[in-house]
C-alpha cells in the first residue's frame, strides 16, 4: 500500500475542489494516509476522510493526545524535543510523516513556511508531492529540491527565509549553493 503524506497551511479552512477530488482518488485507490493533527488543512482533510469512513489513516501528533482525530484512527505520537515550542513542537512528527510517505499532497496558501518545509522534506528524498498553491491558483508537483526552489521563487524571499529558519542543518545542506 502506498503511503500519502497529506498536509497544509493552518490558515486554510476550506479545501479547494481539486484537493477534494484528489482525496477521493486516494480513497478509491486505497492508499494509506499519514496526516497531522493541526487545525486548518489537516483538520479539513481529516473531516473529508472521516466523511468517507476511510480506515487507512494514521494521525501523527506531538502532544499527549491528538488535537484533531476526526475519524478515530490510529494515532502516532512523535514527541517533540524537551522545551520545543512554536513550529519546532510539530517538526519531529512532520519529519516522520515525510520519512514514512511514498508521496505527498500539500494544500499551501503560498505563505506558510511550515508547509513549504514539508514539501522540501519530501523533495530531499525525491518523493513526489502535489502542491495545491492557493496563492497562485494552480496545482504543481515537486519531485526534487530544484523543483522546491522553483516553487519558493514564486513565494518570495521572505517566505524562503522563514522556511530556512525552520529547517534542520541537514535540510539546509540539501539546498543548492
Amino acid at each position: 500500500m502506498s503511503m500519502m503524506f497529506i498536509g497544509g497551511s493552518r490558515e486554510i479552512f476550506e479545501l479547494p475542489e481539486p484537493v477534494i477530488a484528489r482525496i477521493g482518488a486516494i480513497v478509491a485507490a486505497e492508499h494509506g494516509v499519514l496526516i497531522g493533527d493541526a487545525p486548518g488543512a489537516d483538520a479539513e482533510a481529516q473531516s473529508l476522510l472521516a466523511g468517507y469512513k476511510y480506515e487507512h489513516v494514521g494521525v501523527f501528533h506531538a502532544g499527549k493526545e491528538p488535537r484533531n482525530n476526526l475519524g478515530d484512527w490510529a494515532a502516532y505520537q512523535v514527541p517533540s524535543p524537551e522545551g520545543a515550542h512554536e513550529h519546532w513542537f510539530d517538526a519531529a512528527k512532520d519529519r516522520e510523516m515525510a520519512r514514512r510517505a511514498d508521496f505527498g499532497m500539500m494544500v499551501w496558501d503560498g505563505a506558510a513556511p511550515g508547509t513549504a518545509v514539508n514539501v522540501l522534506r519530501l523533495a530531499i528524498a525525491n518523493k513526489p508531492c502535489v502542491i495545491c498553491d492557493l496563492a497562485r491558483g494552480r496545482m504543481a508537483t515537486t519531485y526534487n529540491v530544484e523543483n522546491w526552489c522553483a516553487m519558493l521563487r514564486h513565494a518570495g524571499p521572505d517566505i524562503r527565509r522563514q522556511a530556512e529558519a525552520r529547517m534542520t542543518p541537514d535540510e539546509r545542506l540539501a539546498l543548492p549553493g
Side-chain angles (χ1 to χ4, degrees):
M1 173 184 294
S2 295
M3 300 304 286
M4 166 77 85
F5 175 8
I6 297 178
S9 306
R10 290 182 186 206
E11 301 302 317
I12 294 170
F13 295 101
E14 185 174 336
L15 297 176
E17 187 55 44
V19 171
I20 293 169
R22 284 187 183 256
I23 290 175
I26 290 165
V27 168
E30 296 187 358
H31 294 303
V33 175
L34 311 171
I35 194 162
D37 65 332
D42 288 0
E44 292 300 308
Q46 280 193 28
S47 178
L48 184 58
L49 290 161
Y52 281 116
K53 297 185 182 355
Y54 195 57
E55 296 179 6
H56 306 298
V57 178
V59 176
F60 286 71
H61 61 99
K64 291 194 183 300
E65 297 293 328
R67 294 168 284 191
N68 292 290
N69 186 348
L70 303 178
D72 197 29
W73 298 290
Y76 303 93
Q77 183 186 29
V78 182
S80 300
E82 189 70 33
H85 61 293
E86 295 179 358
H87 56 269
W88 294 108
F89 184 76
D90 289 316
K93 74 156 175 71
D94 289 345
R95 280 193 299 277
E96 181 62 15
M97 286 186 288
R99 186 188 71 74
R100 291 187 186 198
D102 297 304
F103 48 101
M105 181 174 68
M106 299 290 152
V107 187
W108 190 42
D109 61 6
T115 303
V117 174
N118 283 335
V119 174
L120 175 67
R121 290 176 178 129
L122 293 161
I124 288 170
N126 296 307
K127 296 175 180 181
C129 182
V130 173
I131 299 113
C132 180
D133 184 342
L134 298 178
R136 297 181 60 217
R138 63 182 290 244
M139 301 286 278
T141 303
T142 57
Y143 297 94
N144 53 43
V145 174
E146 291 75 25
N147 296 157
W148 182 85
C149 290
M151 176 188 98
L152 262 285
R153 269 195 228 76
H154 297 289
D158 289 341
I159 302 304
R160 172 125 183 193
R161 276 191 292 278
Q162 290 173 35
E164 287 182 13
R166 293 172 180 235
M167 293 176 194
T168 65
D170 286 344
E171 290 165 345
R172 270 189 227 99
L173 283 174
L175 299 178

